[in-house]
Amino acid sequence: MRASATGPYLRLRAIAGTHVVVLAWDFVVPPDISTLVGESNLLGFAVHRQKFDAAGNVQTSYYLRGLKRFEDKDKGLPPGTLVPTSEHPIQSFLWADYTAAAGVEYEYAVEPVFGEPKKLWIDEAQGVSVRVRCETTAVSAGQSSRHEVHFNRGVIGSQAYAREFDNAAPDSNAPASKPMKWLSRGLYEALLAFIKRGAKQGTGLRAAFYEFRYLPVAQALRDAADKGDVQIVYDAESTYKVENEATIEEAGLAEFVHPRTVTAGIRHNKFIVLLKDGKPVSVWTGSTNISAGGIFGHSNVGHVVHDPEIAAQYLEYWERLQHNLTATKLREPNAEASPTPSLPLQPGTYPLFSPRETKETPQAEKTLQWYANLAEAAQQLVCFTAAFDIAPEFLAVFQKQNDVLRYIVKDDPLKKTEDLGADGDVIFAPGGYIEDDNALTNALKESGNPLNSNDYIHTKYMLVDPLGEQPTVVTGSANFSSSSQTQNDENMLVIHGDTRVADIYFGEFMRLFDHHYARYLAAKYRRNPKSPGNYLKAQTDQWLPAHLDPSNYRSKRRSYFVG
């Protein structure tokens, strides 16, 4: 959901997903910075939140809090202490509330803060407020969108986890424990609920899994098989074969599975088709492997489409996989069943199944190039996640000099071969966590991720102009790589024109990007002792100019995000 408001001094826009509300604001009339320096001295902005119950009554009302503070104010705070934005204002035109709840209504007020750190004043009369309701995780009756989107937190290494659980190692054998439920943030529960829909007479499930080694999910499928019709294709060739088959044996699923033993590429799908009276009605897909690490460890998404036509395409794809066909025999039927749609896209949802082409396919006809063309057509904003390497097709897009903001978050630092160019509108964040010798004043030490070797980013999605009226979301199991199109079993969804889906993905992307970008800067500051660390700046002319400089990405962000 999106909502905007204009006051005497500021314009404000809220973009609400399920668990994230992104707030962007701008001056109604951009001032000359000299008018803000001196006695007035704009220190930043305070953000106030009210939460409402179902009857419209105020449940809670307070200023949101953050970690950054003025160096000479509130000294001696214990590490990890959150400070109110009314006392330590936000020195940006962007903020996000990561504590919002799905389906709940909130009102946010952004108010300018003037003066000096120890003698500040909030000009409430110059503030602006907006009311917004977070999206529900389930599709409601009457909604045009047919998509459910479930993101886990994907950040064991976080200040919130350190404060809440003192960095205790999560117990993967106890999915109902508080740390595991916190990490899941509904992803695990949504997966079990989808499986349960197939656990009754007249229903069925058709699943295809790469990692199939989390016993509680396997047991849920076994329970469904007692009442419904369950059949599972699983990877029986990779290094996960032994664990997959041990899980199948322990759950008693041996009579319901079909091993996929082809050796080309990897059998990388993670989807389930729901059948009712023998007909496909919905599909669960996304990036989440059936493992403790996939569900609770690194960032992942479960994406449900309630659409018989889309589900039927997935069922036909599953049937090809069930026959254990090689990549050579799969490419042509996959490409025919799920051709890349013509550009510019028309509103709709388009599945793309792999393997679908060969290395000899002309470059202009390759699906990876088609994805890159989508990114290159962006007018304002691209958001891109990479679990592994950034392909040359995308590097070419990111290297171009233009005014499109291109945000990239990746599991690890850039390799020597990953040259993003020199355009200041490309902003990169590698995965990371805060260690003992961090440069973030007032921050707790965080824990690494004990559940995964691929520690942070496992999602495979791209957003093109997500804040526009015709946003594009690309999401699924396939890393944006050549092998994902030529050899691997993969599935992707291209969703165009659904602002609800785009708002959810955008909020989650900004949550992960901001989380890891702060840690990237902390590592950078640790290497440079003269850097300012995590302190707020006490003078307007120290923090504001970059946000008003048209050549700076912060200025473009201020303009693009507020709409």
Side-chain angles (χ1 to χ4, degrees), residues 509-522:
F509 179 89
M510 293 309 300
R511 176 180 69 88
L512 286 171
F513 180 88
D514 287 346
H515 177 90
H516 290 297
Y517 191 64
R519 284 143 187 80
Y520 163 72
L521 293 180

Side-chain angles (χ1 to χ4, degrees), residues 79 158-159 162 167 433-436 438 443-447:
S158 68
Q159 291 294 289
N167 290 326
Y433 66 98
I434 296 174
E435 302 179 77
D436 275 327
N438 75 85
L444 292 163
K445 176 188 175 183
E446 298 172 350
S447 169

